[in-house]
């Protein structure tokens, strides 16, 4: 993993507070696990029917019946529980999920999220993303600031089909930490090795800056 | 009195399925997928099937065989990203695919199994997933009506069963199996272990026997049940 990606994952790990029930999306968000301190008190939910997910196992230790939602062979922590998909999403929609960290294709300044479909190019289905995005108490997007062609992912409005409306609270990228507020995007932190101008240029909507002008680095 | 014995053979269980049937299939990835029942469906060759399954498995596994053989006309699912063939068939118009949110699929099956006709939810309101579905106002909120889902058959994978069809699942192999067993007119179950009546404690049963119609005890497990090494 590049230094920039490591930095953003490490920053995202600080969003996980002690005692939370958390769902980490497939891909980069899953890497957050490696940045949590040993013995950190948190319950990781996996939507295929597991609360109390432990570290990923090698093939020699793996149980063929025990995977996370991304298909990785995982362990369980003492106190873990298995349940069916109905119970798993009752937990999500019922408001028991304190935090989810998800990837994104596009985010809008009102918090709209698009992360499941690019018409004509990518439409594998929405899986559990709508319910996670719409019902987790807090939704953090962990994503590169721009797409592979360098185009901004943070926009004034999404052009792709939405996963959920007005759901995103915070966006952590390789360049910045940005909150979604009633006034639009608010810049909270800047990555090392970047500048305010670079972040503004890579963002497809206006950014509100801290009133005292001091922007912490991560 | 004693509880009825529902055990049968693989051939006889799958032989009940006609062409054109709608079939619920358990599993999320490999865990909980009834590979032996699927293989027998492939062998018997029933056509024009509608399948309901969380995912389309991966290339060379599970329902991918049925997609490759052309037995599937329609698939109701949540995510098929790990099966390039399913995506190709969908894009070529050779497979009708209906996508459903994962928890909404679970809830639609549960409603179907519980004798309900539909339910209201705010999930998906304002997105493409709600387009074409009836909307309704309730207490000032716009909600979408999701219909219950039932099927002719369910193919279920259990870890342990007794001869009456009381079932236990292993770890994350439970997933959609309990709701699917409830939501079919005829639930066909394969089990890794068959135990005598009374061997499962009544408190420890995941799916109660009355939801199960026919039971097949598996022999040695095929490679499909094993670890997927990526």
């Amino acid at each position: 993993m590049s230094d920039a990606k490591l930095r953003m994952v490490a920053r995202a790990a600080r969003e996980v507070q002690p005692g939370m029930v958390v769902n980490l999306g497939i891909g980069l968000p899953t890497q957050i696990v490696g940045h949590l301190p040993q013995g950190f008190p948190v319950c990781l939910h996996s939507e295929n029917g597991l609360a109390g997910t432990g570290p990923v196992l090698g093939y020699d230790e793996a149980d063929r019946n025990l995977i996370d939602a991304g298909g990785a062979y995982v362990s369980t922590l003492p106190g873990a529980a298995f349940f069916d998909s109905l119970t798993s999403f009752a937990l999500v929609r019922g408001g028991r999920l304190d935090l989810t960290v998800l990837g994104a294709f596009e985010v809008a300044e009102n918090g709209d999220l698009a992360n499941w479909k690019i018409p004509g190019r990518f439409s594998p289905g929405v899986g559990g993303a709508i319910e996670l995005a719409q019902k987790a108490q807090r939704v953090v997007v962990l994503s590169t600031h721009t797409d592979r062609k360098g185009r901004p992912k943070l926009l004034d409005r999404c052009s792709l089909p939405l996963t959920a409306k007005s759901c995103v609270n915070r966006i952590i990228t390789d360049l910045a930490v940005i909150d979604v507020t009633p006034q639009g995007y608010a810049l909270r932190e800047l990555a090392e090795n970047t500048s305010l101008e670079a972040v503004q240029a890579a963002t497809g909507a206006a950014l509100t800056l801290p009133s005292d002008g001091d922007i912490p680095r991560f | 009195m004693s509880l009825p014995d529902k055990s049968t053979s693989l051939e006889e269980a799958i032989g009940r399925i006609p062409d054109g049937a709608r079939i619920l299939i358990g599993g999320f990835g490999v865990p909980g997928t009834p590979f032996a029942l699927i293989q027998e469906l492939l062998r018997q060759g029933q056509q024009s099937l509608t399948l309901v399954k969380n995912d389309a498995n991966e290339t060379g596994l599970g329902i991918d065989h049925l997609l490759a053989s052309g037995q599937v006309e329609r698939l109701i699912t949540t995510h098929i990203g790990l099966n390039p063939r399913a995506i190709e068939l969908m894009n070529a118009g050779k497979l009708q695919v209906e996508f459903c949110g994962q928890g909404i699929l679970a809830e639609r099956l549960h409603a179907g199994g519980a004798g309900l006709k539909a339910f209201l939810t705010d999930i998906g309101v304002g997105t493409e997933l709600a387009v074409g579905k009836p909307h309704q106002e309730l207490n000032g909120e716009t909600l979408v009506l999701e219909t219950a889902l039932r099927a002719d058959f369910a193919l279920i994978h259990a870890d342990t069963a007794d001869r009456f069809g009381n079932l236990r699942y292993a770890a994350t192999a439970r997933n959609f199996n309990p709701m699917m067993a409830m939501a079919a007119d005829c639930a066909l179950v394969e089990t890794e272990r068959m135990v005598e009546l009374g061997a499962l404690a009544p408190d420890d049963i995941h799916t109660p026997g009355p939801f199960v119609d026919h039971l097949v005890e598996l022999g040695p497990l095929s490679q499909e049940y094993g670890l997927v090494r990526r």
Side-chain angles (χ1 to χ4, degrees):
Chain A
M1 202 184 294
S2 69
D3 285 354
K5 283 205 166 151
L6 270 176
R7 187 185 307 120
M8 61 194 270
V9 172
R11 176 62 191 80
R14 285 159 49 200
E15 299 294 313
V16 181
Q17 301 297 315
M20 278 183 160
V21 180
V22 178
N23 185 295
L24 300 174
I26 294 165
L28 214 47
T30 308
Q31 305 297 321
I32 287 173
V33 174
H35 292 262
L36 297 175
Q38 189 99 36
F40 190 84
V42 64
C43 173
L44 297 183
H45 167 255
S46 194
E47 60 267 33
N48 57 323
L50 167 60
T53 313
V56 172
L57 297 172
Y59 292 121
D60 50 336
E61 297 172 292
D63 174 346
R64 65 186 165 88
N65 287 316
L66 181 44
I67 61 173
D68 67 12
Y73 293 101
V74 292
S75 55
T76 54
L77 299 182
F82 299 126
F83 34 80
D84 58 35
S85 299
L86 191 77
T87 307
S88 193
F89 281 90
L91 187 157
V92 175
R93 292 193 310 272
R96 286 287 171 177
L97 200 59
D98 298 302
L99 170 70
T100 188
V101 184
L102 300 170
F105 296 145
E106 292 177 348
V107 180
E109 62 184 356
N110 67 349
D112 288 356
L113 172 67
N115 77 349
W116 75 281
K117 183 174 183 180
I118 302 174
R121 280 209 292 137
F122 179 83
S123 56
V126 75
I130 331 173
E131 290 154 275
L132 292 169
Q134 203 175 323
K135 292 295 185 177
Q137 300 295 337
R138 185 168 168 78
V139 176
V140 172
V141 163
L142 180 62
S143 167
T144 52
H145 209 92
T146 56
D147 69 14
R148 283 186 188 141
K149 292 182 176 165
R151 293 174 302 203
K153 287 185 165 192
L154 282 67
L155 306 168
D156 51 355
R157 78 176 58 172
C158 295
S159 63
L160 296 172
L162 296 185
T163 307
K165 295 176 80 163
S166 301
C167 63
V168 177
N169 299 105
R170 171 167 281 190
I171 305 140
I172 298 174
T173 76
D174 46 334
L175 301 182
V177 176
I178 292 169
D179 280 347
V180 174
T181 72
Q183 290 75 42
Y185 290 132
L187 180 67
R188 300 296 191 213
E189 298 172 32
L190 278 176
E192 298 290 346
N193 311 326
T194 191
S195 66
L196 176 58
E197 294 69 33
V199 173
Q200 279 173 321
T203 305
L207 280 177
T208 309
L209 305 181
S211 50
D212 59 3
D214 187 33
I215 309 168
R217 295 278 178 167
F218 71 94
Chain B
M1 290 186 292
S2 72
L3 288 167
D5 182 343
K6 297 175 185 172
S7 56
T8 184
S9 69
L10 198 54
E11 193 176 354
E12 200 181 335
I14 293 297
R16 295 171 183 275
I17 300 177
D19 288 347
R22 179 190 277 195
I23 310 172
L24 313 175
I25 303 185
F28 187 125
V30 165
T33 300
F35 292 108
L37 293 173
I38 293 168
Q39 280 290 347
E40 181 62 17
L41 192 55
L42 177 71
R43 195 187 69 79
Q44 293 189 14
Q46 285 89 336
Q47 299 294 315
S48 308
L49 302 174
T50 293
L51 304 186
V52 182
K53 190 177 185 301
N54 175 63
D55 55 88
N57 290 115
E58 297 176 47
T59 306
L61 282 178
I63 69 163
D64 181 56
H65 299 303
L66 303 175
L67 296 174
S69 66
Q71 288 168 262
V72 187
E73 198 169 276
R74 186 155 177 261
L75 177 64
I76 301 173
T77 187
T78 80
H79 196 278
I80 58 175
L82 291 177
N83 190 323
R85 189 198 315 274
I87 291 178
E88 201 179 300
L89 288 171
M90 173 179 73
N91 290 340
K94 292 176 179 164
L95 175 69
Q96 302 168 41
V97 177
E98 177 188 335
F99 287 119
C100 190
Q102 202 165 87
I104 297 301
L105 180 62
E107 209 65 49
R108 288 179 67 196
L109 290 163
H110 179 242
L116 305 175
K117 302 301 178 187
F119 59 90
L120 291 170
T121 178
D122 61 348
I123 295 297
V125 171
T127 74
E128 192 178 296
L129 273 300
V131 170
K133 294 175 182 169
H135 285 61
Q136 193 174 319
E137 297 291 319
L138 185 71
N139 302 327
E141 205 179 355
T142 302
L143 302 171
V144 58
L145 189 82
E146 292 283 356
T147 53
L149 194 52
R150 280 191 65 86
D152 306 306
F153 294 88
L155 308 187
I156 303 300
H157 177 88
D159 177 76
T160 310
D162 65 26
R163 293 179 184 283
F164 179 54
N166 290 306
L167 309 181
R168 284 182 58 78
Y169 309 99
T172 57
R174 199 180 317 183
N175 54 66
F176 280 86
N177 280 300
M179 287 80 72
M180 288 182 166
M182 294 168 75
D185 294 343
C186 180
L188 308 174
V189 177
E190 58 168 51
T191 181
E192 295 186 25
R193 271 170 289 273
M194 186 85 89
V195 297
E196 293 310 313
L197 291 170
L200 293 174
D203 265 340
D204 292 344
I205 287 160
H206 295 148
T207 289
F211 288 111
V212 170
D213 294 283
H214 303 284
L215 270 169
V216 177
E217 184 176 8
L218 295 172
L221 298 181
S222 71
Q223 222 172 6
E224 287 188 277
Y225 291 92
L227 297 180
V228 179
R229 292 167 193 269
R230 294 194 175 85

